[in-house]
């Protein structure tokens, strides 16, 4: 094979207006790409868990208050909409999923390398800039990975697939605080900062290597035409409507903003919470308690995913988000082990909310799937907005426990989406249509591969879908 043929085979550009065999991927065909992309979920879980630990670490070593330390979360999650609605979204629509994976890993590695001189110079502002670059990388990965896992395989199991992959994200959030408790808090300030440098160097080496793996891997690309075909087959979507009229999508994105903001605020100030409310608890022990809380979060992912085999995902989502509201309440007023236990239980029930909002929010988008997924991922920006507000309330009252009223309020707003998708037929019927479809589980349709988006066959299917929606209304 010549060099030109090699480059052509490894091309990252994929025509988005033609269906591929990915429109009807079977479980067996989807195993390898799902396994490879799941590694990315672990990576940003690890990075997120590391961020929560560094929040308290920089309070100690650089002498900054809780409000200013939330600049880490603001830089990290503030980068997400820039990626999911900007550069990553553009690459996804004009090239494909694999291109975004490689681009996101490149930015992640670049930010990790730049973090080293910022740490050497004890520059919190410089480190926040590096975290912003890393956030752009991880935002790019989430822009592609969440929808890719959702659509890579039989639609019937979309929520289960994304929750399993997100469970490895939970494992990453457990590993990072455990690592932090040993390498950040058990040394003098100078040695601890050196350890942070080595951690980010190791991250850079690993992610650059993983980018090479994605470049040489043959993973299926799911096109807009593939998603339009699935939407037409299930008669569940409104992909024939303009993007601006995808109202369920915008509700899901807003719910994601509120939910993610609450989740990040709780995790970001968890160590502050336990060191203030529990006797004889220092930052090192607090980091270990955070690892335990994140383990509870990971267990919730596996438990929730198992439950989805027997109960509709939308119902599991409603119960879990309701329990978040129920158990965060006592954490505001209770202290010692009781208050900490309430946060442990809250993290358990947070587990399946983020990925399930992604999966449910993408239902029926059809040809708008790639663009729409960017809006849902952009909701992660809540993680940049709610933690500073929580930190401000904690500083005002000198009490992180009282500040937990802020994430509770945002949980309640996100709850409106859980209620809508369970009790409003317009939401509910679309979600349920995909849980009963047999696409990817039976024989393939003849002539689906290479069908062009906008051909008569596909247009007829979309007209039938639209007619079905009008009859329901």
């Amino acid at each position: 094979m010549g060099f030109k043929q090699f480059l052509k085979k490894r091309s990252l550009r994929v025509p988005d207006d033609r269906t591929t065999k990915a429109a009807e991927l079977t479980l067996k065909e989807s195993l390898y790409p799902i396994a490879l992309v799941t590694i990315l979920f672990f990576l940003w879980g690890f990075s997120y868990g590391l961020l929560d630990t560094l929040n308290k670490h920089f309070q100690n070593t650089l002498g900054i208050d809780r409000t200013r330390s939330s600049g880490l979360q603001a830089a990290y999650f503030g980068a997400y909409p820039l990626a999911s609605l900007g550069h990553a979204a553009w690459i996804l629509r004009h090239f494909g999923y694999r291109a975004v994976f490689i681009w996101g890993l490149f930015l992640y590695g670049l930010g990790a390398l730049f973090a080293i001189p910022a740490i050497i110079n004890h520059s919190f502002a410089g480190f926040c800039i590096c975290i912003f670059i890393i956030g752009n990388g991880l935002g790019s990965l989430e822009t592609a990975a969440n929808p890719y896992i959702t659509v890579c395989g039989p639609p019937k199991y979309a929520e289960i697939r994304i929750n399993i992959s997100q469970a490895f994200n939970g494992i990453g959030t457990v590993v990072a605080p455990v690592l932090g408790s040993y390498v950040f808090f058990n040394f003098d300030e100078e040695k601890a900062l050196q350890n942070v440098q080595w951690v980010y160097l190791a991250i850079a080496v690993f992610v650059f290597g993983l980018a090479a793996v994605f470049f040489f891997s043959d993973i299926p690309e799911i096109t807009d035409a593939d998603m339009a075909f699935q939407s037409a087959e299930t008669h569940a979507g409104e992909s024939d409507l303009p993007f601006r009229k995808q109202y369920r999508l915008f509700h899901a994105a807003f719910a994601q903003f509120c939910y993610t903001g609450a989740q990040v605020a709780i995790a970001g100030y968890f160590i502050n919470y336990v060191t203030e409310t529990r006797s004889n608890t220092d930052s090192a022990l607090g980091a270990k308690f955070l690892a335990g809380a994140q383990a509870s979060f990971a267990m919730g992912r596996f438990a929730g995913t198992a439950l989805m085999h027997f109960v509709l995902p939308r119902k599991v989502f409603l119960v879990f988000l309701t329990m978040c509201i129920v158990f965060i309440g006592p954490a505001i007023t209770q202290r010692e082990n009781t208050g900490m236990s309430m946060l442990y239980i809250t993290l358990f029930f947070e587990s399946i909310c983020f990925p399930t909002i992604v999966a449910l929010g993408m239902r029926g988008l059809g040809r708008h799937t790639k663009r729409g997924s960017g809006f849902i991922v952009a909701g992660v920006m809540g993680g940049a907005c709610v933690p500073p507000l929580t930190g401000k309330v904690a500083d005002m009252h000198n009490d992180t426990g009282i500040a937990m009223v802020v994430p509770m309020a945002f949980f309640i707003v996100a709850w409106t989406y859980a209620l809508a998708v369970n009790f409003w037929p317009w939401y509910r019927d679309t979600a349920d249509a995909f849980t009963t479809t047999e696409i990817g589980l039976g024989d393939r349709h003849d002539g689906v591969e290479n069908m062009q988006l906008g051909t008569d066959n596909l247009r007829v299917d979309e007209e039938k879908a639209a007619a079905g929606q009008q009859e329901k209304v």
Side-chain angles (χ1 to χ4, degrees):
M1 179 188 296
F3 185 66
K4 288 185 178 179
Q5 288 78 8
F6 171 79
L7 289 180
K8 185 177 180 181
K9 185 177 180 182
R10 300 259 61 81
S11 174
L12 300 177
R13 187 182 290 273
V14 178
D16 221 20
D17 61 346
R18 291 189 176 276
T19 56
T20 69
K21 65 178 182 180
E24 298 179 286
L25 278 178
T26 65
L27 288 170
K28 184 178 179 180
E29 291 169 335
S30 64
L31 284 179
Y32 173 72
I34 287 175
L36 186 60
V37 174
T38 296
I39 298 173
L40 303 178
F41 285 81
F42 175 86
L43 269 182
W44 72 67
F46 180 85
S47 181
Y48 170 51
L50 199 61
L51 197 70
D52 293 333
T53 309
L54 288 172
N55 186 310
K56 179 60 176 174
H57 174 64
F58 285 133
Q59 290 177 36
N60 295 344
T61 58
L62 301 180
I64 58 179
D65 61 21
R66 284 166 289 201
T67 304
R68 190 180 174 201
S69 72
S70 67
L72 289 175
Q73 276 81 7
Y76 183 88
F77 291 102
Y80 269 62
L82 183 62
S84 63
L85 299 178
H87 54 84
W90 187 89
I91 295 172
L92 182 60
R93 295 178 67 190
H94 290 83
F95 288 84
Y97 287 99
R98 192 162 60 99
V100 181
F101 294 146
I102 295 171
W103 170 245
L105 288 167
F106 168 75
L107 290 178
Y108 188 4
L110 191 67
L113 287 179
F114 285 167
I116 296 173
I119 295 167
I120 291 174
N121 290 283
H122 294 198
S123 173
F124 181 70
F127 189 74
C128 284
I129 292 172
C130 298
I131 291 296
F132 182 76
I133 297 172
I134 290 173
N136 269 281
L138 294 174
S140 299
L141 294 178
E142 288 220 46
T143 299
N146 281 304
Y148 188 83
I149 291 292
T150 302
V151 302
C152 185
K156 184 175 184 177
Y157 302 119
E159 289 91 353
I160 295 174
R161 277 197 305 276
I162 194 171
N163 274 284
I164 290 175
S165 293
Q166 286 277 2
F168 288 88
N169 169 282
I171 294 172
T173 62
V174 175
V175 173
V178 172
L179 177 67
S181 69
Y182 287 105
V183 303
F184 299 161
F185 296 116
N186 288 338
F187 298 92
D188 60 71
E189 294 180 7
E190 201 62 35
K191 179 64 175 175
L193 287 174
Q194 289 179 12
N195 290 340
V196 176
Q197 298 171 40
W198 285 110
V199 168
Y200 276 95
L201 178 60
I203 288 173
V205 172
F206 180 79
V207 298
F208 285 140
L210 188 58
V213 172
F214 271 96
F215 180 75
F216 289 104
S217 292
D218 291 318
I219 61 174
E221 287 281 357
I222 297 96
T223 66
D224 282 347
D226 292 330
M227 299 314 301
F229 167 78
Q230 288 190 3
S231 181
E233 282 294 307
T234 57
H235 304 291
E238 295 179 344
S239 59
D240 54 319
L241 295 178
F243 184 77
R244 67 179 183 275
K245 293 188 177 181
Q246 304 294 328
Y247 302 120
R248 292 188 301 256
L249 165 69
F250 301 133
H251 191 182
F254 180 64
Q256 195 72 285
F257 174 91
C258 296
Y259 165 75
T260 304
Q263 175 190 316
V264 174
I266 293 170
Y269 289 103
F270 184 93
I271 297 178
N272 285 93
Y273 181 91
V274 295
T275 55
E276 293 173 22
T277 62
R278 189 178 184 277
S279 305
N280 303 316
T281 304
D282 60 11
S283 296
L285 182 58
K288 293 174 183 175
F289 281 134
L290 174 59
Q294 297 290 16
S296 174
F297 182 89
M299 289 171 57
R301 281 259 165 91
F302 287 107
T305 302
L307 196 57
M308 287 180 185
H309 282 278
F310 309 101
V311 182
L312 287 173
R314 60 177 172 80
K315 294 182 178 179
V316 178
F317 169 51
L318 176 62
V319 171
F320 272 51
L321 187 52
T322 302
M323 291 300 101
C324 288
I325 299 169
V326 169
F327 286 102
I328 191 65
I332 298 170
T333 57
Q334 300 302 305
R335 298 295 180 262
E336 299 295 339
N337 288 334
T338 302
M340 185 177 71
S341 298
M342 294 298 101
L343 289 189
Y344 265 61
I345 299 172
T346 300
L347 263 74
F348 177 90
F349 285 111
E350 284 178 356
S351 55
I352 60 96
C353 295
F354 177 90
T356 308
I357 291 173
V358 172
L360 292 173
M362 288 173 57
R363 291 302 198 197
L365 290 179
R367 60 190 172 90
H368 301 301
T369 296
K370 287 183 179 178
R371 188 178 179 188
S373 66
F375 275 73
I376 298 178
V377 173
V380 172
M381 187 183 178
C385 301
V386 182
L389 183 59
T390 306
K392 187 64 176 178
V393 173
D395 285 336
M396 286 172 57
H397 296 275
N398 197 28
D399 187 344
T400 304
I402 293 296
M404 289 299 149
V405 71
V406 176
M408 181 180 180
F410 280 88
F411 274 146
I412 292 172
V413 178
W415 194 46
T416 61
Y417 182 71
L419 293 172
V421 84
N422 276 277
F423 298 109
W424 191 347
W426 184 46
Y427 284 71
R428 186 187 62 220
D429 294 347
T430 299
D432 289 351
F434 277 83
T435 60
T436 58
T437 182
E438 295 298 311
I439 294 176
L441 299 175
D443 295 332
R444 294 184 187 274
H445 290 68
D446 293 332
V448 168
E449 191 170 352
N450 291 322
M451 182 188 296
Q452 189 168 5
L453 184 62
T455 58
D456 292 340
N457 290 336
L458 193 54
R459 191 179 296 113
V460 168
D461 283 339
E462 289 186 344
E463 288 172 357
K464 289 179 180 178
Q469 287 290 330
Q470 291 174 358
E471 289 177 4
K472 288 178 183 178
V473 174

